[in-house]
Amino acid sequence: MFNNLNQEINLVAFLPEGLEEAGAIELKSLGAYSLKSFKCTLTCKADLACFYRLNLQARLPFRFLREISQFLCKGKESLYCEIQNACAWHEWLDPSKSFRVNVSGVNNQLRHSHFTALQVKNAIVDLQREIWGKRSSISIDSPDVCIHLHLHGPHATLSLDSSATSLHKRGYRSAMGLAPLKENIAAGLLKLSKWNDSINLVDPLCGSATFLLEAANIARGIAPGLNKRFLFKSWPDFDIEIWKSEKSSANSLFSPNKKLPKLIGCEEDNHIANDAISNITNAGFLKEIDIRKGHFRDFEFPKSPGLIVCNPPYGKRIGNEKQLESLYIELGHFFKKKASGWDLWLLSGNPRLTNFLGMKCTRRFPISNGGIDCRWLHYEIY
């Protein structure tokens, strides 16, 4: 049916805003080519083996969409017709498979994503009834096929999502704080900091330990997609032999006996500290990651310097901005007194509060964290 040898696939990768360049480097290193960067997205091309590799090994994207068809869309009637002719639906979606439709963008005639999604759904199920006399069910939470339509003026792109859930979810984090840092953002920030597995890593406000867990996974070579449910396994051109080969290659990256640097977190809230320990246990790093309960002011750094990562509250989702001034003042005193020779990378969502550190930033990267405009700030501590 399909010739998978050297098959070229057009992809869109969705990334946290600010990590597009780092994401492009990662995807290129895994074999993607013809990369183009846009806000929060990258477009690229890949063969089937590379497509599987990206889904298994890439740490930064939220999701990958595979482009199926492009067409002009002037309104609901045009959309209905073009969807039915967009691909060989009898190969891609038979009635035994459930599906859902996601829509982004608008045009002059189609301004409401819910209405547009209904038109896409109707076009598909009506065609199914013509072919088989029955139709697929709709599943929002766990579909077999996830269809994505993007409208940009009169232009429409129909794609399939490789996964029903976001790729940032690694599966180890059952317990989360009030404003958890997403795993792919943590991985991207570590990449921007140039941290590597020979450098000690300390998080004095570790929360649910996301930075430390991502560092441990990177150091041990654990591919983030190994245990995910991928929707492309039900696509008509799924190649089980290529998939087995790529999964074997991803598994071979794991170095279970590799000695890790010191990975230490500090958390004052006992409940949150227990959540962090639970996450670490789930991930299999109870012996490698050290969570110390208590206030950071009592924390003693390892003798050999390394990297400090920190995501203090911004006064937006957590904490009162005025009351947080004293926290930042105390953090600044703490770093200067106890962390001489270390590098600090701090995620700031409030530049006014960051001023209370009393430290001079040497580098900064703009990052969006949960819709908050942030900066990933580097400080050299003397």
Side-chain angles (χ1 to χ4, degrees), residues 207-272:
S208 56
T210 307
F211 272 127
L212 301 171
L213 281 161
E214 282 302 301
N217 276 274
I218 292 168
R220 281 278 163 84
I222 298 174
L226 276 173
N227 296 314
K228 286 195 172 296
R229 173 181 171 248
F230 288 111
L231 301 183
F232 55 71
K233 294 176 80 172
S234 72
W235 294 352
D237 62 348
F238 176 66
D239 191 309
I240 186 65
E241 295 305 320
I242 296 176
W243 169 249
K244 285 180 179 179
S245 175
E246 287 302 324
K247 194 166 184 180
S248 176
S249 295
N251 270 310
S252 71
L253 299 172
F254 179 43
S255 301
N257 299 317
K258 183 174 184 178
K259 185 177 179 181
L260 303 188
K262 293 184 184 299
L263 303 173
I264 308 172
C266 182
E267 178 54 54
E268 182 182 15
D269 187 299
N270 193 62
H271 177 72
I272 295 175

Coordinates of all heavy atoms in Angstrom, one line a residue, residues 207-272:
G207 N 10.4 22.5 44.6 CA 9.0 22.1 44.4 C 8.8 20.6 44.1 O 9.3 19.8 44.9
S208 N 8.2 20.3 43.0 CA 8.0 18.8 42.7 C 9.2 18.2 42.0 O 9.1 17.1 41.5 CB 6.8 18.7 41.8 OG 6.8 19.4 40.6
A209 N 10.4 18.9 42.0 CA 11.7 18.4 41.5 C 11.8 18.2 40.0 O 12.5 17.4 39.5 CB 12.0 17.1 42.2
T210 N 11.1 19.0 39.2 CA 11.1 18.9 37.8 C 12.4 19.1 37.2 O 12.9 18.3 36.3 CB 10.0 19.8 37.1 OG1 8.8 19.6 37.7 CG2 9.9 19.5 35.6
F211 N 13.1 20.1 37.6 CA 14.5 20.4 37.0 C 15.4 19.2 37.3 O 16.1 18.7 36.4 CB 15.1 21.6 37.7 CG 14.8 22.9 37.0 CD1 14.3 24.0 37.8 CD2 15.1 23.1 35.7 CE1 14.0 25.2 37.2 CE2 14.8 24.3 35.1 CZ 14.3 25.4 35.8
L212 N 15.4 18.7 38.5 CA 16.3 17.6 38.9 C 15.9 16.3 38.2 O 16.8 15.5 37.8 CB 16.2 17.4 40.4 CG 16.6 18.6 41.3 CD1 16.3 18.4 42.7 CD2 18.1 18.9 41.1
L213 N 14.6 16.0 38.0 CA 14.2 14.8 37.3 C 14.6 14.9 35.8 O 15.0 13.9 35.3 CB 12.7 14.6 37.5 CG 12.3 14.1 38.8 CD1 10.8 14.3 39.1 CD2 12.5 12.5 38.9
E214 N 14.4 16.0 35.2 CA 14.8 16.2 33.8 C 16.3 16.0 33.6 O 16.7 15.4 32.7 CB 14.3 17.5 33.2 CG 12.8 17.5 32.9 CD 12.4 16.5 31.9 OE1 13.0 16.4 30.8 OE2 11.6 15.6 32.2
A215 N 17.0 16.6 34.6 CA 18.5 16.4 34.5 C 18.9 15.0 34.6 O 19.8 14.5 33.9 CB 19.1 17.3 35.6
A216 N 18.3 14.2 35.6 CA 18.6 12.8 35.7 C 18.3 12.0 34.5 O 19.0 11.1 34.1 CB 17.9 12.3 37.0
N217 N 17.1 12.3 33.9 CA 16.7 11.6 32.7 C 17.7 11.9 31.5 O 18.0 11.0 30.7 CB 15.3 12.0 32.3 CG 14.2 11.2 33.0 OD1 13.9 10.1 32.6 ND2 13.8 11.7 34.1
I218 N 18.1 13.1 31.4 CA 19.1 13.5 30.4 C 20.4 12.8 30.6 O 21.0 12.2 29.7 CB 19.3 15.0 30.3 CG1 18.0 15.7 29.8 CG2 20.4 15.4 29.4 CD1 18.0 17.2 30.1
A219 N 20.9 12.8 31.8 CA 22.2 12.2 32.2 C 22.2 10.7 31.9 O 23.2 10.2 31.5 CB 22.5 12.5 33.6
R220 N 21.1 10.1 32.2 CA 21.0 8.6 32.1 C 20.6 8.2 30.6 O 20.6 7.0 30.3 CB 20.0 8.0 33.0 CG 20.6 7.9 34.5 CD 21.4 6.6 34.6 NE 22.3 6.6 35.7 CZ 21.9 6.2 36.9 NH1 20.7 5.8 37.2 NH2 22.8 6.2 37.9
G221 N 20.3 9.2 29.8 CA 19.9 8.9 28.4 C 18.6 8.2 28.2 O 18.4 7.4 27.3
I222 N 17.6 8.5 29.1 CA 16.3 8.0 29.0 C 15.5 8.7 28.0 O 15.2 9.9 28.2 CB 15.6 8.0 30.4 CG1 16.4 7.2 31.4 CG2 14.2 7.5 30.3 CD1 15.9 7.2 32.8
A223 N 15.1 8.0 26.9 CA 14.3 8.7 25.9 C 12.9 8.9 26.5 O 12.2 8.0 27.0 CB 14.2 7.8 24.7
P224 N 12.4 10.2 26.3 CA 11.1 10.6 27.0 C 9.9 9.9 26.4 O 8.8 9.8 27.1 CB 11.1 12.1 26.8 CG 11.9 12.4 25.6 CD 13.0 11.3 25.7
G225 N 10.0 9.4 25.2 CA 8.8 8.8 24.5 C 8.6 7.3 24.6 O 7.7 6.8 23.9
L226 N 9.5 6.7 25.3 CA 9.6 5.2 25.2 C 8.3 4.5 25.7 O 7.9 3.5 25.2 CB 10.7 4.7 26.1 CG 12.1 4.6 25.3 CD1 13.2 4.2 26.3 CD2 12.0 3.6 24.1
N227 N 7.6 5.1 26.7 CA 6.4 4.5 27.3 C 5.1 5.2 26.9 O 4.1 5.0 27.5 CB 6.5 4.5 28.8 CG 7.7 3.6 29.2 OD1 7.9 2.5 28.7 ND2 8.5 4.1 30.1
K228 N 5.2 6.0 25.8 CA 4.0 6.8 25.4 C 3.1 5.9 24.5 O 3.6 5.0 23.8 CB 4.4 8.1 24.7 CG 4.9 9.1 25.7 CD 4.9 10.5 25.1 CE 5.2 11.5 26.1 NZ 4.2 11.6 27.1
R229 N 1.8 6.3 24.4 CA 0.9 5.7 23.5 C 0.9 6.6 22.2 O 0.4 7.8 22.3 CB -0.5 5.6 24.1 CG -1.6 5.2 23.1 CD -2.9 5.1 23.7 NE -3.9 4.9 22.7 CZ -4.9 5.8 22.3 NH1 -4.9 6.9 22.9 NH2 -5.7 5.5 21.4
F230 N 1.4 6.1 21.1 CA 1.5 6.9 19.9 C 0.4 6.5 19.0 O 0.1 5.3 18.7 CB 2.8 6.8 19.3 CG 3.9 7.5 20.0 CD1 4.9 6.8 20.6 CD2 4.0 8.9 20.1 CE1 6.0 7.4 21.3 CE2 5.0 9.5 20.7 CZ 6.0 8.8 21.4
L231 N -0.3 7.5 18.4 CA -1.4 7.3 17.5 C -1.0 6.8 16.2 O -1.7 6.1 15.4 CB -2.3 8.5 17.4 CG -2.9 9.1 18.7 CD1 -3.8 10.3 18.4 CD2 -3.7 8.1 19.4
F232 N 0.3 7.1 15.8 CA 0.7 6.7 14.4 C 0.8 5.2 14.3 O 1.0 4.7 13.1 CB 2.1 7.4 14.1 CG 3.2 7.2 15.1 CD1 3.8 6.0 15.2 CD2 3.6 8.2 15.8 CE1 4.8 5.8 16.1 CE2 4.7 8.0 16.7 CZ 5.3 6.8 16.9
K233 N 0.8 4.5 15.4 CA 0.8 3.0 15.2 C -0.4 2.4 14.6 O -0.4 1.3 14.1 CB 1.0 2.4 16.6 CG 2.4 2.8 17.2 CD 2.6 2.3 18.6 CE 3.0 0.8 18.6 NZ 3.3 0.3 20.0
S234 N -1.5 3.2 14.5 CA -2.7 2.8 13.7 C -2.8 3.4 12.3 O -3.7 3.1 11.6 CB -3.9 3.1 14.5 OG -4.2 4.5 14.5
W235 N -1.8 4.2 11.9 CA -1.8 4.8 10.6 C -1.5 3.7 9.5 O -0.8 2.7 9.8 CB -0.8 5.9 10.5 CG -1.1 7.1 11.4 CD1 -2.3 7.3 12.1 CD2 -0.3 8.2 11.6 NE1 -2.2 8.5 12.8 CE2 -1.0 9.1 12.5 CE3 0.9 8.6 11.1 CZ2 -0.5 10.3 12.9 CZ3 1.5 9.8 11.6 CH2 0.8 10.6 12.4
P236 N -2.0 3.8 8.3 CA -1.9 2.8 7.3 C -0.4 2.6 6.9 O -0.1 1.5 6.4 CB -2.7 3.2 6.2 CG -2.9 4.7 6.4 CD -2.9 4.9 7.9
D237 N 0.5 3.6 7.0 CA 1.8 3.4 6.6 C 2.8 3.1 7.8 O 4.0 3.2 7.7 CB 2.3 4.6 5.8 CG 2.3 5.9 6.6 OD1 1.7 5.9 7.7 OD2 2.9 6.9 6.2
F238 N 2.2 2.7 9.0 CA 3.0 2.4 10.1 C 3.9 1.2 9.7 O 3.4 0.2 9.3 CB 2.2 2.1 11.3 CG 3.0 1.6 12.5 CD1 3.9 2.5 13.1 CD2 2.8 0.3 13.0 CE1 4.6 2.0 14.2 CE2 3.6 -0.1 14.1 CZ 4.5 0.7 14.7
D239 N 5.2 1.3 10.0 CA 6.1 0.3 9.6 C 6.7 -0.4 10.9 O 7.5 0.3 11.6 CB 7.2 0.8 8.8 CG 8.1 -0.2 8.1 OD1 8.6 -1.1 8.9 OD2 8.3 -0.2 6.9
I240 N 6.2 -1.5 11.2 CA 6.6 -2.2 12.5 C 8.1 -2.4 12.6 O 8.7 -2.3 13.7 CB 5.8 -3.5 12.7 CG1 6.1 -4.0 14.1 CG2 6.1 -4.5 11.6 CD1 5.6 -3.2 15.2
E241 N 8.7 -2.8 11.5 CA 10.2 -3.0 11.5 C 11.0 -1.8 11.8 O 12.0 -1.8 12.5 CB 10.6 -3.7 10.2 CG 10.0 -5.1 10.0 CD 10.2 -6.0 11.2 OE1 11.4 -6.0 11.7 OE2 9.3 -6.8 11.6
I242 N 10.6 -0.7 11.1 CA 11.4 0.6 11.3 C 11.1 1.0 12.8 O 12.0 1.5 13.5 CB 10.9 1.7 10.3 CG1 11.3 1.3 8.9 CG2 11.5 3.0 10.7 CD1 10.8 2.2 7.8
W243 N 9.9 0.9 13.2 CA 9.5 1.3 14.6 C 10.3 0.5 15.6 O 10.9 1.0 16.5 CB 8.0 1.1 14.9 CG 7.6 1.2 16.3 CD1 7.2 0.2 17.1 CD2 7.6 2.4 17.1 NE1 6.9 0.6 18.4 CE2 7.2 2.0 18.4 CE3 8.0 3.7 16.9 CZ2 7.1 2.9 19.4 CZ3 7.9 4.6 17.9 CH2 7.4 4.2 19.2
K244 N 10.4 -0.8 15.4 CA 11.2 -1.7 16.3 C 12.7 -1.3 16.4 O 13.3 -1.2 17.4 CB 11.1 -3.2 16.0 CG 9.8 -3.8 16.3 CD 9.7 -5.3 15.9 CE 8.4 -5.9 16.2 NZ 8.4 -7.4 15.8
S245 N 13.2 -0.9 15.2 CA 14.6 -0.5 15.1 C 14.8 0.8 15.9 O 15.8 0.9 16.6 CB 15.0 -0.4 13.6 OG 16.3 0.1 13.5
E246 N 13.9 1.8 15.7 CA 14.1 3.1 16.3 C 13.9 2.9 17.8 O 14.6 3.6 18.6 CB 13.1 4.1 15.8 CG 13.5 4.6 14.4 CD 14.9 5.2 14.3 OE1 15.3 5.9 15.3 OE2 15.6 5.0 13.3
K247 N 12.9 2.1 18.2 CA 12.7 1.9 19.7 C 13.9 1.2 20.3 O 14.3 1.5 21.4 CB 11.4 1.1 19.9 CG 11.0 1.1 21.3 CD 9.5 0.6 21.5 CE 9.1 0.8 22.9 NZ 7.7 0.3 23.1
S248 N 14.5 0.3 19.6 CA 15.7 -0.4 20.1 C 16.9 0.6 20.2 O 17.6 0.5 21.2 CB 16.1 -1.5 19.1 OG 17.3 -2.1 19.5
S249 N 17.0 1.5 19.3 CA 18.1 2.5 19.3 C 17.8 3.4 20.5 O 18.8 3.8 21.2 CB 18.1 3.3 18.0 OG 18.5 2.5 16.9
A250 N 16.6 3.8 20.7 CA 16.3 4.7 21.9 C 16.6 4.0 23.2 O 17.1 4.6 24.1 CB 14.8 5.1 21.8
N251 N 16.2 2.7 23.3 CA 16.5 1.9 24.5 C 18.0 1.8 24.8 O 18.4 1.8 25.9 CB 15.9 0.5 24.4 CG 14.5 0.5 24.9 OD1 14.2 0.9 26.0 ND2 13.6 -0.1 24.1
S252 N 18.8 1.8 23.7 CA 20.2 1.6 23.8 C 20.9 2.8 24.4 O 22.1 2.7 24.8 CB 20.8 1.2 22.5 OG 20.8 2.3 21.6
L253 N 20.2 3.9 24.4 CA 20.8 5.2 24.9 C 20.9 5.2 26.4 O 21.6 5.9 27.1 CB 20.0 6.4 24.5 CG 19.9 6.6 22.9 CD1 18.9 7.7 22.7 CD2 21.3 7.0 22.4
F254 N 20.1 4.3 27.1 CA 19.9 4.3 28.5 C 21.2 3.7 29.1 O 21.7 2.6 28.8 CB 18.7 3.4 28.9 CG 18.5 3.2 30.4 CD1 18.6 4.3 31.2 CD2 18.2 2.0 30.9 CE1 18.4 4.2 32.6 CE2 18.0 1.9 32.3 CZ 18.1 3.0 33.1
S255 N 21.8 4.5 30.1 CA 23.0 4.1 30.8 C 22.7 3.9 32.3 O 22.9 4.9 33.1 CB 24.1 5.1 30.6 OG 24.4 5.2 29.2
P256 N 22.1 2.8 32.7 CA 21.6 2.6 34.1 C 22.7 2.7 35.1 O 22.5 3.1 36.3 CB 21.0 1.2 34.1 CG 21.6 0.5 33.0 CD 21.9 1.5 31.9
N257 N 24.0 2.4 34.8 CA 25.0 2.4 35.8 C 25.9 3.6 35.7 O 26.9 3.7 36.4 CB 25.9 1.1 35.5 CG 25.1 -0.1 35.7 OD1 24.3 -0.3 36.6 ND2 25.3 -1.1 34.8
K258 N 25.5 4.6 34.9 CA 26.3 5.8 34.8 C 26.3 6.6 36.1 O 25.2 6.8 36.6 CB 25.8 6.6 33.6 CG 26.6 7.9 33.4 CD 26.2 8.6 32.1 CE 27.0 9.8 31.8 NZ 26.6 10.4 30.5
K259 N 27.4 7.0 36.5 CA 27.5 7.8 37.8 C 27.0 9.2 37.5 O 27.5 9.8 36.5 CB 28.9 7.8 38.4 CG 29.0 8.5 39.7 CD 30.3 8.4 40.3 CE 30.4 9.2 41.6 NZ 31.7 9.2 42.3
L260 N 26.1 9.7 38.3 CA 25.6 11.0 38.1 C 26.3 12.0 39.0 O 26.8 11.7 40.1 CB 24.1 11.1 38.3 CG 23.2 10.1 37.5 CD1 21.7 10.4 37.7 CD2 23.5 10.2 36.0
P261 N 26.3 13.3 38.6 CA 26.8 14.3 39.6 C 25.8 14.5 40.7 O 24.7 13.8 40.7 CB 26.8 15.6 38.7 CG 25.7 15.4 37.7 CD 25.8 13.9 37.4
K262 N 26.1 15.3 41.7 CA 25.2 15.5 42.8 C 23.9 16.3 42.2 O 24.1 17.4 41.6 CB 25.9 16.3 43.9 CG 27.0 15.5 44.6 CD 27.5 16.3 45.7 CE 28.7 15.6 46.4 NZ 28.3 14.3 46.9
L263 N 22.8 15.8 42.5 CA 21.5 16.4 42.1 C 20.7 16.6 43.4 O 20.2 15.6 44.0 CB 20.7 15.5 41.1 CG 21.4 15.1 39.8 CD1 20.6 14.1 39.1 CD2 21.7 16.3 39.0
I264 N 20.6 17.8 43.9 CA 20.1 18.1 45.2 C 19.0 19.2 45.1 O 19.2 20.2 44.5 CB 21.2 18.6 46.2 CG1 22.4 17.6 46.1 CG2 20.7 18.7 47.6 CD1 23.6 18.1 46.9
G265 N 17.9 18.9 45.8 CA 16.8 19.9 45.9 C 16.5 20.2 47.3 O 16.7 19.3 48.2
C266 N 16.0 21.4 47.6 CA 15.7 21.8 48.9 C 14.2 22.3 48.8 O 13.9 23.1 47.9 CB 16.6 22.9 49.4 SG 16.2 23.5 51.1
E267 N 13.4 21.9 49.8 CA 12.0 22.3 49.8 C 11.5 22.5 51.3 O 11.6 21.6 52.1 CB 11.1 21.3 49.1 CG 9.6 21.6 49.1 CD 9.3 23.0 48.6 OE1 9.7 23.3 47.4 OE2 8.6 23.7 49.3
E268 N 11.0 23.7 51.6 CA 10.6 24.0 52.9 C 9.2 23.3 53.3 O 9.0 22.8 54.4 CB 10.5 25.5 53.1 CG 10.1 25.9 54.5 CD 10.0 27.4 54.6 OE1 9.9 28.1 53.6 OE2 9.9 27.9 55.8
D269 N 8.3 23.3 52.3 CA 7.0 22.8 52.5 C 7.1 21.2 52.6 O 7.4 20.6 51.6 CB 6.0 23.2 51.4 CG 4.6 22.8 51.7 OD1 4.3 21.6 51.8 OD2 3.7 23.7 51.8
N270 N 6.7 20.6 53.7 CA 6.9 19.2 53.9 C 6.0 18.4 52.9 O 6.5 17.4 52.4 CB 6.6 18.8 55.4 CG 7.0 17.4 55.7 OD1 8.2 17.1 55.7 ND2 6.1 16.6 56.0
H271 N 4.8 18.9 52.7 CA 3.9 18.2 51.8 C 4.5 18.2 50.4 O 4.5 17.1 49.7 CB 2.5 18.8 51.8 CG 1.6 18.2 50.8 ND1 1.0 17.0 51.0 CD2 1.1 18.7 49.7 CE1 0.2 16.7 50.0 NE2 0.2 17.7 49.2
I272 N 5.0 19.3 49.9 CA 5.6 19.4 48.6 C 6.8 18.6 48.5 O 7.1 17.9 47.4 CB 5.8 20.9 48.2 CG1 4.5 21.7 48.1 CG2 6.5 21.0 46.9 CD1 4.6 23.1 47.9

